[in-house]
Amino acid sequence: MTPSRQIPPAALMLGAAGVIPFAALALLIAMGGAGLIAPEQAERMLRLYGALILSFMGGAQWGLSTALPEGPKARALAVSVLPALFAWAAFLIPTGPGLLALSAAFLALMLYDLWTVRRGEAPVWYGRLRVGLTLAVIASLGAASLAT
């Protein structure tokens, strides 16, 4: 993997754009829908978006593993499918616990991602990007959970 520490601008901009729905929906939930949407609908949308993005982040690990010169590692492939399964379960449970479960899963996946960076299985910039974005996602999910 590339030793570069600089986050590619496109990855940074698209990653930040991906945080916008988390923050916007959390704000709508905290404001009781702000007359724009039913609070329950905003909660469901946030759980769904969180589940989708968690699944996507698991897929990123699949991609990183398949790009290794020595080929994919069974461990990484197995770990890459767990976020989708967990996200599906978190979407099916009530909002408060579902948002907390998603928060915990984003944190766990970030820690795994950082571990893969230390092992040289992911670029250094990827770990730096994941920390900032994940903390923003967890803050949004936590705020929404407190507001429900």
Side-chain angles (χ1 to χ4, degrees), residues 57-138:
M57 296 312 304
Q61 272 299 327
W62 181 284
L64 287 169
S65 178
T66 60
L68 293 172
E70 66 272 15
K73 297 181 180 302
R75 172 221 0 116
L77 295 176
V79 168
S80 74
V81 300
L82 293 176
L85 297 172
F86 192 86
W88 176 63
F91 179 72
L92 295 176
I93 62 178
T95 297
L99 295 174
L100 293 176
L102 286 169
S103 296
F106 274 106
L107 176 62
L109 186 56
M110 180 192 72
L111 294 174
Y112 178 80
D113 288 342
L114 293 174
W115 182 73
T116 64
V117 168
R118 283 192 305 276
R119 291 177 51 86
E121 297 173 9
V124 172
W125 67 261
Y126 185 69
R128 294 181 58 231
L129 177 67
R130 288 286 285 126
V131 169
L133 296 178
T134 300
L135 293 178
V137 166
I138 290 172

Side-chain angles (χ1 to χ4, degrees), residues 21-74:
F22 283 104
L25 288 166
L27 184 60
L28 278 173
I29 292 166
M31 297 172 60
L36 301 171
I37 189 172
E40 298 80 19
Q41 188 177 9
E43 293 166 5
R44 185 171 175 82
M45 290 170 66
L46 181 57
R47 284 193 346 264
L48 176 60
Y49 186 70
L52 290 169
I53 297 302
L54 184 60
S55 297
F56 173 80
M57 296 312 304
Q61 272 299 327
W62 181 284
L64 287 169
S65 178
T66 60
L68 293 172
E70 66 272 15
K73 297 181 180 302

Side-chain angles (χ1 to χ4, degrees), residues 1-15:
M1 294 285 151
T2 177
S4 175
R5 294 189 53 84
Q6 183 176 349
I7 299 170
L12 182 58
M13 288 188 309
L14 292 169

